[in-house]
Amino acid sequence: MDTKIPDIRPNYFEANYDKTKIAPYTLEDPLTFLDGRKVTTPAEWELRRQEILGIFAGEMYGQEPPAPEQLLIEKIEEKPDAMGGFAVRAQYRMRFSPDGKGGEIHWLLVRPRYAAKPVPPILFLNFAGNHAYLPDEEVVIPEMWSHRLPSHRVEEARGTRCDPNSVGHFPVALLIAAGYAVLTACYCEVSPDPHPNEPEEQFKQQNFAYTGVFDLWGKRDESRTDNITALGAWAWALSRGLDLAERIPELDVSRSIVTGCSRLGKTALLAAARDTRFAVCVPNQCGAGGATLAKRDYGENVATETRMFTHWFCKAYKKYERNPAQLLTFDQHLLLAAVAPRRLLIEGYDSPWFDTEGEYLACKAASPVWELLGKKGLPEGPFPEDFDTSLIGEDLGYYHRAEDHGLAAFDWWQLMRFTQR
Ligand code: GCU
C-alpha cells in the first residue's frame, strides 16, 4: 500500500455530494497503450481494446467466465398469435449440463408476427421476473430466490411493467410495432443478488452470490483478486441470450441491441464491451461501477460499492477505495471506449448518487476512439439539462433525465430513435 497517498475516506460509507470537493484527476488516454505507444489504426485499436478489457478483468469485474461447454436449449412453449395477434411469444429453458449443473435460465421472447425480414432483438436482464413484462398467465415466474425486491418475483407482479404508472414501464406492444423483438430473462436465475444486510448466513453475499451459473466454474480460489464476479456472470448470461438469438431465424443478430437498468445497465455495458456481437449498447441509469468516472468520487464511490456489493467487483478493486483520484490507473471512459466502433447511448439519471455528469465526461473522454475509427463521436455541447437529447449523436450519445429510477417509456423511445437512425 502506498502510504504517501492519503486515505481520503476513513469513514467508508461517506459519499461526497459537494462538487467543489472533487479532487483533481487525470484520465488515461484511451488511444495510448500502457507502454506509451499511440493507437493510429483500427487494427491497433483492437489490440488496445483487448488491453483495456484485460485491465477491467484483473482490477474490477474479475475474469470473464468461459463460454459454456454445453448449451442445452429447449423451447417450452410458443404462442403464435400473442398480444392481440401482433406478436409471437415463446419461452425457452436454457441449461448448461444435462444434470442441471449451473441452474437454468428462462428466456422470454416476444417478436413481431408480421415482419417481412429478420428483426433486431433487444436483449436485457430484468429484476422483476419475465412475467412482470407481459400480462400473460403462461409466462413462467422465476423460482430463484433473492432478497432484492422479493415482491417482484410473485404472481402479483404479472404484467405490472406494462402499466404506464410503473416506474419501469415496458412499452412492449410499441416495441413490437416498431419492428423489434425483445428477449429477456430474470437476473436472479443467473446469480442471486443478496442484500448487503442479509442476516441469514447461507444467504449472505459471500456464500449465496456464487451459486446459480457459478457452479459451472468450480471452486473459487479465494487467494485470487480477480475471481469471476456477479456482474461478470450477468454479462455472460446476456451473451448466452445472444447465442439463443443466433438460433432463431426470425432474429437479426447483426443488429442486436443490449440494454438494462442500474446494476443491469452496468451489466449491459460490460456485456457489450466484452462481446462484439452486440451491435448497439444502451445502458440505462448505470452510474458508478458502470458509465460514470470513479476518479471523480462524487456520489456512489469505490468504497461504498466494494462494501455494499462485495460480489459485483473483484477483490482487486478494493485497493482503490482509499483515494480513487490518485490511486486508480484506469477509469470507466475506457470501458465505454471498448464498445467502439459499435454504437453506444448512455442514458443517465439525474440523482447525485448516480453522478450522471461523470457519465457525460466519460463519454467525452471516450469519444476520440469513435472518431479514430471513422465514426461520429459525441456531439459538442456542455453538460445538458434534464431531458435534453441534443447530445445523442449517430454512434455515441448521452442524455439524462429526472423522475423515477427505472427504464421508462422515455428511455425506450430514445433507444428506438437512436437505433433507427
Ligand atoms: C444501488 C446501487 C447502484 C445500483 C442500484 C440498482 O443504488 O448503489 O449502484 O445501480 O442500486 O441497481 O438499482
Side-chain angles (χ1 to χ4, degrees):
M1 188 185 286
D2 186 344
T3 45
K4 289 195 289 298
I5 294 184
D7 183 347
I8 53 140
R9 188 171 289 106
N11 172 9
Y12 284 102
F13 285 102
E14 194 183 22
N16 171 37
Y17 291 118
D18 180 350
K19 289 209 173 143
T20 65
K21 291 205 179 124
I22 295 174
Y25 61 88
T26 335
L27 294 181
E28 293 69 29
D29 177 6
L31 293 172
T32 303
F33 286 97
L34 287 175
D35 67 6
R37 276 176 306 130
K38 296 280 177 212
V39 175
T40 55
T41 64
E44 284 169 359
W45 167 249
E46 187 44 37
L47 296 175
R48 170 67 173 144
R49 191 177 150 268
Q50 292 304 331
E51 185 175 77
I52 288 171
L53 292 176
I55 296 170
F56 282 106
E59 298 300 308
M60 188 169 177
Y61 299 113
Q63 292 303 318
E64 182 174 355
E69 282 167 22
Q70 296 184 63
L71 197 59
L72 309 171
I73 298 175
E74 181 195 347
K75 191 198 277 185
I76 50 181
E77 62 91 39
E78 183 170 84
K79 188 170 182 190
D81 55 350
M83 291 172 51
F86 291 99
V88 176
R89 184 213 66 213
Q91 293 181 82
Y92 300 83
R93 180 174 26 235
M94 180 180 276
R95 301 172 91 202
F96 307 99
S97 66
D99 64 359
K101 189 175 173 195
E104 55 186 34
I105 303 176
H106 290 84
W107 291 96
L108 168 66
L109 171 70
V110 188
R111 61 178 173 84
R113 185 172 168 201
Y114 300 105
K117 54 180 189 142
V119 299
I122 305 177
L123 284 99
F124 64 102
L125 293 181
N126 67 67
F127 290 112
N130 294 347
H131 64 303
Y133 292 77
L134 273 188
D136 180 329
E137 61 188 26
E138 282 176 61
V139 180
V140 172
I141 302 180
E143 282 174 11
M144 191 85 163
W145 182 94
S146 162
H147 253 187
R148 172 142 172 108
L149 308 180
S151 60
H152 275 177
R153 288 176 288 278
V154 292
E155 183 56 45
E156 292 68 44
R158 192 174 294 282
T160 48
R161 291 296 164 122
C162 294
D163 178 349
N165 292 312
S166 163
V167 166
H169 176 61
F170 184 53
V172 59
L174 202 62
L175 289 164
I176 299 304
Y180 300 93
V182 289
L183 186 56
T184 187
C186 182
Y187 85 136
C188 288
E189 287 195 315
V190 180
S191 155
D193 189 20
H195 194 272
N197 305 325
E198 167 57 49
E200 273 184 69
E201 198 53 36
Q202 58 169 324
F203 295 130
K204 282 189 186 297
Q205 287 174 352
Q206 67 270 24
N207 303 321
F208 194 47
Y210 308 116
T211 58
V213 293
F214 277 91
D215 291 339
L216 295 174
W217 305 319
K219 195 169 157 28
R220 293 167 74 75
D221 174 355
E222 293 306 334
S223 67
R224 288 187 68 136
T225 59
D226 62 351
N227 276 323
I228 298 174
T229 59
L231 277 172
W234 297 324
W236 176 93
L238 284 167
S239 290
R240 304 294 71 81
L242 214 45
D243 296 342
L244 164 60
E246 282 177 337
R247 299 179 186 198
I248 301 171
E250 292 84 3
L251 304 183
D252 178 0
V253 170
S254 72
R255 292 189 289 150
S256 62
I257 301 153
V258 64
T259 188
C261 180
S262 218
R263 65 197 71 189
L264 299 178
K266 309 183 214 294
T267 299
L269 179 57
L270 180 60
R274 285 181 168 172
D275 188 340
T276 54
R277 292 177 300 165
F278 290 108
V280 189
C281 177
V282 187
N284 176 263
Q285 309 192 341
C286 54
T292 200
L293 296 174
K295 291 189 190 184
R296 270 168 62 86
D297 200 355
Y298 181 82
E300 182 167 26
N301 57 59
V302 179
T304 62
E305 285 172 295
T306 54
R307 277 149 200 267
M308 284 165 67
F309 308 110
T310 57
H311 53 309
W312 293 6
F313 305 100
C314 65
K315 278 186 197 156
Y317 197 46
K318 210 171 162 48
K319 64 176 173 287
Y320 303 108
E321 69 184 9
R322 294 172 48 243
N323 193 330
Q326 290 194 37
L327 289 169
L328 273 166
T329 51
F330 60 96
D331 212 332
Q332 301 308 107
H333 64 302
L334 299 178
L335 190 68
L336 305 194
V339 178
R342 292 165 293 138
R343 303 172 73 198
L344 176 67
L345 170 61
I346 299 294
E347 302 184 329
Y349 179 45
D350 187 5
S351 131
W353 183 247
F354 286 83
D355 185 24
T356 193
E357 190 173 351
E359 297 183 315
Y360 157 77
L361 294 170
C363 288
K364 268 180 84 152
S367 183
V369 179
W370 272 267
E371 287 162 18
L372 177 90
L373 300 172
K375 301 286 178 183
K376 295 260 171 31
L378 191 73
E380 287 287 323
F383 181 52
E385 296 290 321
D386 279 325
F387 297 103
D388 175 348
T389 57
S390 60
L391 295 191
I392 303 185
E394 260 174 53
D395 301 304
L396 176 62
Y398 169 82
Y399 74 88
H400 65 90
R401 65 160 178 84
E403 295 310 323
D404 280 331
H405 180 43
L407 194 42
F410 183 86
D411 308 311
W412 286 107
W413 175 236
Q414 303 314 325
L415 176 150
M416 287 193 247
R417 288 179 60 212
F418 183 64
T419 52
Q420 292 192 349
R421 276 188 191 182

